Amino acid sequence: MSLASLVVAGCGSGTTNTPPLATSTSSSPPAPATSTTPATPGTADPQGSSTASSGSAVDPTTAPVTSETTSTAAPAAQELPRGGTELFPRYRLVGYSGGAAKSFGRLGIGDLQARVDEIEKLGRKYAGDGREPLPVLELITTVVQASPGRDKMYRARTRDTEIERYLKVARANKALLLLNIQPGRADFLTEVTAMSKWLEEPDVGLALDPEWAVGPKQTPGHVYGHTSAGELNQVSLWLSKFVTQRGLPEKAFVVHQLAPRIISDVPKIRKRKGLQFILSVDGIGARVDKEKTWRKLVQPLPDGTHAGFKLFFEEDREHGKLMTPSQVLKLKPRPEYVLYE
């Protein structure tokens, strides 16, 4: 089966400043692009809006928690965008992923409101079992890089003005915004705590992409990254405390996985108060191959873990027809998050 084709950028600073190019689909790690194309206006801060990470581990009990909020007006009550404080079993999350460049996925192509309208229409096709669709915008916020950057972490952070633009549109449509983290050589907790300002919002959740989490001597694109239940539990502990202390509604805590080696010890993942852990199964290919990967990764899931499923508008069609919502809903267990790229 062909593996997920993700995207990386070739720039040398700690924040995104060049539109990444898509890599080819293969069974070996995708090679980062080295384009020096000028930045798209308004998408990334070439000087950086966040302090660069040292890449060292952060103690989840002492990681900084900010009280700063965005300038986008928040809902009066600490509830989810369409009501209530719990994601499941009321909702099914349906969304697009993307970011600063077209190669990131459907979400970043064209008018953002038009993309949300598409998500709304698509979501209605997933409501046949009584679940209420909740639109999701999964924004690639920490972007893996082909070159090391000033801090040698091989990642860049999207500037605040761009994150706020996505949050404003999400909020206007009563949708969730998920911040996708591709950490490079940095550790996940460092990158997550750097997003504290946004995670303080009741309609902002988190998505981790361990395929792009590499070791201190590894280069993204040359090897597949990975993480452990221990690292995920460290992040979830910090985020759970963060949510509880602020009286926030449940947050989606998504982890993308396309092969067993990406997270080798899934059964050790801990359930946390205030979070809904979603293991999202990635992978490009024909329906039969995607379903084979699905069965391999979701059986069995740890207690309290929910299943997600990802489809690729273009790459999946290179192997056959794109799976329909009715076909996706026949998967067992039935996905509670369906993401399109």
Side-chain angles (χ1 to χ4, degrees):
M1 170 183 159
S2 296
L3 299 180
S5 175
L6 297 178
V7 289
V8 291
C11 70
S13 66
T15 53
T16 51
N17 67 353
T18 58
L21 303 179
T23 62
S24 61
T25 304
S26 68
S27 58
S28 58
T34 55
S35 168
T36 55
T37 307
T40 303
T43 60
D45 183 354
Q47 299 303 318
S49 58
S50 303
T51 303
S53 161
S54 65
S56 58
V58 179
D59 183 344
T61 62
T62 60
V65 170
T66 67
S67 59
E68 186 179 3
T69 57
T70 71
S71 59
T72 303
Q78 296 284 76
E79 290 192 346
L80 294 166
R82 302 196 176 187
T85 60
E86 297 180 354
L87 287 168
F88 306 127
R90 176 176 174 179
Y91 296 107
R92 171 169 289 108
L93 311 184
V94 180
Y96 281 1
S97 67
K102 291 182 178 179
S103 56
F104 278 3
R106 180 69 174 169
L107 185 64
I109 299 174
D111 179 67
L112 184 54
Q113 180 58 54
R115 302 290 78 76
V116 178
D117 292 342
E118 290 175 4
I119 297 170
E120 287 276 16
K121 183 177 180 180
L122 188 59
R124 289 194 287 270
K125 297 180 181 180
Y126 285 96
D129 60 352
R131 290 291 185 98
E132 182 179 340
L134 180 57
V136 172
L137 284 62
E138 186 169 317
L139 173 65
I140 302 175
T141 309
T142 298
V143 188
V144 72
Q145 303 287 289
S147 55
R150 300 187 190 101
D151 59 4
K152 313 299 182 184
M153 290 294 108
Y154 287 87
R155 64 89 181 91
R157 297 171 186 160
T158 299
R159 67 183 183 183
D160 283 352
T161 52
E162 184 68 355
I163 298 173
E164 185 168 8
R165 182 173 75 90
Y166 276 83
L167 178 57
K168 182 177 180 180
V169 174
R171 188 161 285 169
N173 291 274
K174 296 184 178 181
L176 282 181
L177 176 66
L178 298 188
L179 307 181
N180 181 291
I181 307 295
Q182 300 174 347
R185 286 186 182 176
D187 64 274
F188 274 123
L189 188 56
T190 296
E191 296 308 303
V192 171
T193 57
M195 299 294 166
S196 296
K197 168 182 178 177
W198 304 103
L199 292 170
E200 194 162 1
E201 301 301 321
D203 43 3
V204 176
L206 185 66
L208 306 184
D209 215 338
E211 179 182 351
W212 298 109
V214 300
K217 295 183 179 180
Q218 296 177 325
T219 301
H222 292 267
V223 297
Y224 275 116
H226 68 279
T227 189
S228 65
E231 184 173 26
L232 297 178
N233 290 339
Q234 189 182 41
V235 174
S236 67
L237 175 60
W238 180 86
L239 189 58
S240 176
K241 290 182 178 180
F242 188 92
V243 168
T244 301
Q245 290 169 2
R246 284 156 180 74
L248 295 169
E250 284 184 342
K251 286 195 180 294
F253 180 57
V254 178
V255 179
H256 293 285
Q257 184 177 23
L258 60 83
R261 66 180 178 273
I262 304 298
I263 316 169
S264 59
D265 54 353
V266 169
K268 295 181 181 179
I269 292 172
R270 297 277 302 275
K271 183 179 180 179
R272 300 291 189 196
K273 180 180 179 181
L275 307 182
Q276 290 290 0
F277 185 89
I278 302 168
L279 183 68
S280 177
V281 176
D282 282 13
I284 292 167
R287 178 185 176 185
V288 63
D289 293 323
K290 294 176 75 74
E291 291 179 344
K292 181 178 179 181
T293 301
W294 171 265
R295 290 190 295 270
K296 183 184 297 183
L297 296 181
V298 303
Q299 300 292 344
L301 288 176
D303 180 50
T305 300
H306 303 270
F309 191 66
K310 189 171 182 180
L311 300 106
F312 297 80
F313 280 118
E314 295 182 5
E315 292 90 342
D316 281 354
R317 286 189 171 113
E318 294 176 1
H319 302 272
K321 293 182 179 180
L322 185 69
M323 289 179 65
T324 66
S326 62
Q327 290 171 337
V328 172
L329 290 176
K330 289 179 181 178
L331 295 170
K332 297 184 183 300
R334 191 169 287 172
E336 296 184 86
Y337 179 30
V338 182
L339 178 66
Y340 289 78
E341 180 177 311

